[in-house]
Amino acid sequence: MMQKLKKNNLFYTIPFICWVLLMLTASSIPGKKMPEIGLFQWDKLAHCFEYFIFSLLFARYLFYVKHLKIKRLKRYCFSVGLVYAAFDETHQLFIPNRFCTWQDFLADSLGVVFGCLIANHYLKRKTVS
């Protein structure tokens, strides 16, 4: 029984940790040229998608491994997602040809919100059935 529980925990923990490490690695790669700065660019979709996946994986982890209730899970997922987005953007200040912009943070934040909403909807349905 304990062996199965550990396997299940790893099933929800490893994807989240791998995604966070992938995000950190990608944002640590120096830029090749100066980026254009603006609100409506294709890279904003990448930022949004990146944090959407972050939120989904983190919500799964909190629900299945930490056994948080949905209401508390939403707050944790949202708060930690925004803090990590702020950390990630600030961290890029120290990487050559990378920048910390409010537009990127906004795109990250939208990804967090969408991810939390979708995870909330899905996990609520899981607890009802």
Side-chain angles (χ1 to χ4, degrees), residues 4-128:
K4 185 175 182 177
L5 186 62
K6 284 185 181 182
K7 278 185 183 177
N8 285 343
N9 285 350
L10 289 176
F11 178 76
Y12 296 109
T13 305
I14 289 175
F16 174 65
I17 290 172
C18 288
W19 188 255
V20 169
L21 291 174
L22 181 66
M23 290 170 67
L24 186 60
T25 301
S27 69
S28 298
I29 298 170
K32 292 182 181 6
K33 62 178 184 164
M34 300 291 272
E36 294 178 30
I37 297 179
L39 187 55
F40 299 106
Q41 296 174 340
W42 287 107
D43 81 306
K44 302 306 178 251
L45 285 176
H47 280 266
C48 192
F49 178 75
E50 175 182 21
Y51 279 87
F52 175 77
I53 299 299
F54 172 92
S55 294
L56 292 179
L57 292 174
F58 189 49
R60 275 178 19 140
Y61 167 78
L62 291 173
F63 187 77
Y64 290 110
V65 176
K66 296 299 182 182
H67 307 289
L68 289 184
K69 302 275 187 234
I70 299 292
K71 191 173 186 176
R72 196 167 188 201
L73 180 146
K74 281 191 305 191
R75 281 184 276 161
Y76 271 59
C77 191
F78 182 73
S79 301
V80 171
L82 292 183
V83 168
Y84 189 74
F87 163 77
D88 188 34
E89 290 303 319
T90 304
H91 149 261
Q92 290 183 42
L93 287 171
F94 304 100
I95 309 299
N97 289 331
R98 297 298 293 263
F99 298 91
C100 172
T101 68
W102 68 268
Q103 295 95 335
D104 286 350
F105 180 73
L106 179 63
D108 298 343
S109 300
L110 287 174
V112 168
V113 169
F114 291 141
C116 288
L117 289 173
I118 297 297
N120 178 52
H121 177 71
Y122 175 76
L123 294 172
K124 262 188 184 174
R125 290 182 57 202
K126 274 294 232 199
T127 56
V128 171

